[in-house]
C-alpha cells in the first residue's frame, strides 16, 4: 500500500514541476516566479532609467502589469536574457559618438612668466 502511495506522490511531483516545452509558457504546470522592480535592479547592473530604456528598445524582457501601478518581470525571462547576454557582445565600435568636450588648445603666443627675483620693470 505504501509503495503505491509513494509512487503516486512521486508521479504527481514530477508532473507538477516538469516543463514540457520551455518555449511555450502555457505548458508549464507550476507558477512562474515574478520579480518586482527592486528585485530586477538587484540582479542587473543598471539604473532604473537604463532598465526602462532597454525595455523600450526591446533589448530587455518586457514587464507585465499585475495591477494598474505594479509591474513585474518573470524570473525565467530575466535568466534567459542574462544567459543570452553572456554569449553576445553588445559593444559596437561604429556607434555614433556625441561631440564630447572641445579640445583645449594651448596658447603659444603668451610669454613665459618672469623668473624669480626679476621685476617686470627691470628694477629690483
Amino acid at each position: 500500500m505504501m509503495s503505491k502511495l509513494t509512487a503516486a506522490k512521486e508521479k504527481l511531483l514530477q508532473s507538477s514541476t516538469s516543463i514540457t516545452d520551455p518555449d511555450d509558457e502555457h505548458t508549464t504546470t507550476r507558477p512562474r516566479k515574478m520579480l518586482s522592480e527592486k528585485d530586477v535592479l538587484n540582479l542587473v547592473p543598471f539604473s532604473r532609467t537604463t532598465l526602462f530604456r532597454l525595455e523600450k528598445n526591446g533589448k530587455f524582457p518586457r514587464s507585465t502589469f499585475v495591477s494598474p501601478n505594479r509591474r513585474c518581470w518573470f524570473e525565467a525571462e530575466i535568466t534567459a536574457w542574462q544567459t543570452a547576454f553572456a554569449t553576445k557582445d553588445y559593444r559596437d565600435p561604429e556607434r555614433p559618438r556625441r561631440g564630447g568636450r572641445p579640445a583645449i588648445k594651448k596658447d603659444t603666443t603668451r610669454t613665459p612668466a618672469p623668473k624669480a627675483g626679476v621685476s617686470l620693470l627691470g628694477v629690483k
Side-chain angles (χ1 to χ4, degrees), residues 66-82:
V66 292
S67 71
N69 294 322
R70 182 76 167 173
R71 68 173 62 207
C72 291
W73 287 261
F74 291 108
E75 183 181 36
E77 292 177 2
I78 302 297
T79 306
W81 174 83
Q82 287 174 329

Side-chain angles (χ1 to χ4, degrees), residues 9-64:
K9 281 183 180 179
E10 285 185 31
K11 187 176 181 181
L12 181 63
L13 285 174
Q14 287 175 354
S15 67
S16 65
T17 58
S18 65
I19 300 174
T20 56
D21 185 10
D23 294 334
D24 187 3
E25 62 189 47
H26 300 292
T27 60
T28 61
T29 55
R30 64 178 175 207
R32 299 186 331 173
K33 185 172 181 181
M34 300 177 93
L35 302 174
S36 67
E37 180 183 323
K38 183 179 178 182
D39 295 335
V40 172
L41 290 173
N42 285 331
L43 288 175
V44 296
F46 301 140
S47 67
R48 184 174 189 255
T49 304
T50 302
L51 177 72
F52 291 119
R53 187 177 340 117
L54 289 173
E55 182 182 356
K56 181 181 175 183
N57 293 335
K59 294 181 180 179
F60 194 78
R62 284 271 186 215
S63 60
T64 303

Side-chain angles (χ1 to χ4, degrees), residues 59 81-93 95:
K59 294 181 180 179
W81 174 83
Q82 287 174 329
T83 305
F85 189 79
T87 60
K88 190 174 182 181
D89 190 6
Y90 281 98
R91 291 179 291 173
D92 182 13
R95 73 173 193 221

